[in-house]
């Protein structure tokens, strides 16, 4: 069996943004005095920029983080497991999102003085020039980095501590790797549960007035598209080749998302069948951990 270190790598991404809000110590102290409260029990924070001036940069940062979280499995804080088969697609999309982030950062910097004047007007007496860094310092706080790391293996541990202690540490490394792989697999199951639950909720919420034929409550195409995207991801992120996950992937593909959203909206029978299948999957998943369940049924 191929070692997981030959099929996957670790990736770390960091996205840095400037400080968006700041605690005003003077106002905090005054507010505490006004209410007879202890200062350490109070905190007054003020926003440094209006929401509209920050929105594009925030959205670009969120897109970078979301892409990372969607296409990797959690390993430890800030680090994800990336299958080698996904590397080229991952790095291409990351590059596109990074360019959008860099563009948003440059736009934020170009509008900095205007945004400061807007903040000064809106904050009025709460505005403090010292709260705002120079443009050069601000630029250094808008950045993103990505780092690729090899999967750790017990054989990499070469510190000379004596045979008994070395073996004990190698055993710890093995157990930690097993625990993280189990947690990563559980993350995929949670994604399945969330996506199926979401689709079921949307389908059941759909309502048409039988008298007029008017749609009273509808659902968007994403109800099906999210499942289809998950089916694709499950085929790539299942690095341990877990047979239950593969069975679930096929079940989702063949029984849940074979019809598009338009077909489901137009056909009550198809909606009912899809809802029943979603319920059956959720019922089966309720005890998948530690239970012998045939998820391919």
């Amino acid at each position: 069996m191929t070692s997981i270190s030959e099929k996957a790598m670790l990736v770390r991404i960091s996205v840095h943004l400037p400080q968006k809000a700041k605690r005003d110590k003077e106002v905090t102290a005054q507010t505490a005095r006004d209410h007879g409260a202890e200062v350490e029990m109070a905190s007054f924070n003020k926003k440094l920029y209006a929401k509209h001036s920050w929105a594009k940069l925030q959205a670009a940062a969120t897109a970078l983080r979301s892409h990372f979280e969607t296409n990797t499995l959690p390993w430890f804080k800030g680090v994800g497991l990336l299958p080698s088969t996904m590397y080229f697609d991952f790095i291409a999309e990351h590059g596109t999102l990074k360019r959008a982030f860099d563009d948003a950062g440059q736009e934020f910097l170009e509008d900095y003085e205007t945004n400061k004047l807007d903040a000064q007007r809106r904050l009025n007496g709460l505005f403090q020039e010292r709260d705002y860094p120079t443009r050069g310092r601000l630029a250094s706080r808008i950045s993103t980095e990505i780092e690729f790391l090899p999967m750790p293996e017990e054989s990499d541990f070469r510190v000379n501590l004596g045979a008994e202690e070395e073996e004990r540490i190698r055993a710890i490394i093995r157990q930690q790797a097993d625990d993280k792989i189990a947690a990563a697999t559980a993350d995929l199951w949670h994604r399945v549960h969330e996506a199926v639950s979401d689709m079921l909720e949307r389908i059941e919420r759909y309502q048409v007035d039988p008298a007029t034929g008017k749609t009273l409550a509808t659902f968007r195409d994403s109800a099906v598209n999210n499942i289809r995207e998950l089916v694709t991801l499950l085929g790539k992120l299942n690095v341990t080749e877990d047979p239950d996950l593969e069975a679930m992937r096929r079940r989702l593909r063949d029984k849940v998302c074979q019809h598009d959203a338009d077909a489901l909206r137009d056909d009550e029978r198809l909606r009912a069948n899809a809802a029943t299948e979603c319920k059956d999957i959720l019922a089966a998943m309720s005890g998948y951990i530690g239970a012998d369940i045939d998820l391919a049924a």
Side-chain angles (χ1 to χ4, degrees):
M1 181 177 177
T2 304
S3 168
I4 194 169
S5 64
E6 298 177 28
K7 298 191 296 182
M9 66 195 78
L10 298 179
V11 57
R12 176 189 290 122
I13 184 174
S14 57
V15 182
H16 304 287
L17 295 175
Q19 187 177 17
K20 294 188 292 184
K22 188 176 181 64
R23 182 174 185 265
D24 192 312
K25 295 180 180 179
E26 296 174 2
V27 177
T28 296
Q30 183 61 54
T31 302
R33 286 194 297 270
D34 291 346
H35 292 273
E38 295 183 16
V39 173
E40 67 177 30
M41 301 298 289
S43 181
F44 181 88
N45 294 313
K46 58 187 178 185
K47 296 180 180 179
L48 299 179
Y49 311 97
K51 184 177 180 179
H52 68 83
S53 65
W54 185 265
K56 188 173 182 180
L57 181 58
Q58 182 67 67
T62 299
L64 274 169
R65 295 189 183 105
S66 296
H67 173 254
F68 168 78
E69 292 171 1
T70 298
N71 292 280
T72 63
L73 295 171
W75 196 252
F76 51 83
K77 187 175 182 180
V79 176
L81 179 70
L82 177 71
S84 57
T85 54
M86 294 180 66
Y87 172 80
F88 289 106
D89 287 341
F90 176 88
I91 203 66
E93 180 63 16
H94 175 80
T96 298
L97 295 173
K98 183 181 182 302
R99 286 190 290 275
F101 176 80
D102 291 341
D103 289 345
Q106 185 59 38
E107 183 177 321
F108 183 79
L109 291 172
E110 291 173 356
D111 294 339
Y112 184 44
E113 294 304 323
T114 300
N115 291 336
K116 277 179 60 178
L117 289 173
D118 180 54
Q120 184 175 18
R121 176 184 62 81
R122 301 179 73 171
L123 285 169
N124 198 9
L126 293 176
F127 179 84
Q128 296 288 343
E129 181 67 34
R130 64 174 179 269
D131 293 335
Y132 295 82
T134 63
R135 176 168 167 166
R137 185 177 293 274
L138 184 71
S140 68
R141 297 176 183 176
I142 303 175
S143 65
T144 180
E145 295 87 35
I146 189 168
E147 181 181 7
F148 292 94
L149 307 165
M151 289 287 296
E153 288 192 305
E154 59 187 277
S155 59
D156 294 332
F157 185 79
R158 298 183 178 88
V159 178
N160 186 9
L161 296 173
E164 183 176 347
E165 190 65 15
E166 289 171 19
E167 179 51 36
R168 188 184 74 82
I169 295 177
R170 288 193 180 96
I172 292 174
I173 294 173
R174 285 195 299 270
Q175 186 60 54
Q176 288 174 337
D178 290 344
D179 291 345
K180 290 183 184 302
I181 290 170
T185 301
D187 177 76
L188 289 177
W189 282 114
H190 288 307
R191 295 192 198 190
V192 171
H193 191 279
E194 182 178 357
V196 174
S197 297
D198 181 66
M199 181 172 180
L200 176 61
E201 179 184 354
R202 296 190 192 197
I203 290 176
E204 290 189 325
R205 194 168 58 223
Y206 186 79
Q207 187 178 2
V208 176
D209 187 326
T212 64
K214 181 179 179 181
T215 299
L216 302 177
T218 190
F219 58 87
R220 298 183 178 180
D221 294 355
S222 58
V224 176
N225 293 340
N226 289 344
I227 297 282
R228 288 177 172 173
E229 291 173 5
L230 179 61
V231 166
T232 299
L233 278 173
L234 286 176
K236 297 176 180 179
L237 288 174
N238 186 12
V239 292
T240 62
E241 300 178 2
D242 182 284
D244 281 344
L245 269 173
E246 174 58 18
M248 176 57 74
R249 185 190 70 81
R250 295 185 181 189
R251 183 174 179 176
L252 292 172
R253 180 195 64 192
D254 298 338
K255 297 185 178 181
V256 176
C257 59
Q258 74 270 39
H259 300 294
D260 60 27
D262 282 336
L264 292 175
R265 284 189 287 262
D266 292 341
D267 193 317
E268 183 178 357
R269 179 184 59 83
L270 291 182
R271 289 198 307 276
N273 289 342
T276 297
E277 185 63 27
C278 288
K279 290 177 182 178
D280 289 345
I281 288 174
L282 293 174
M285 286 187 64
S286 65
Y288 74 87
I289 296 178
D292 185 14
I293 295 176
D294 184 5
L295 292 168

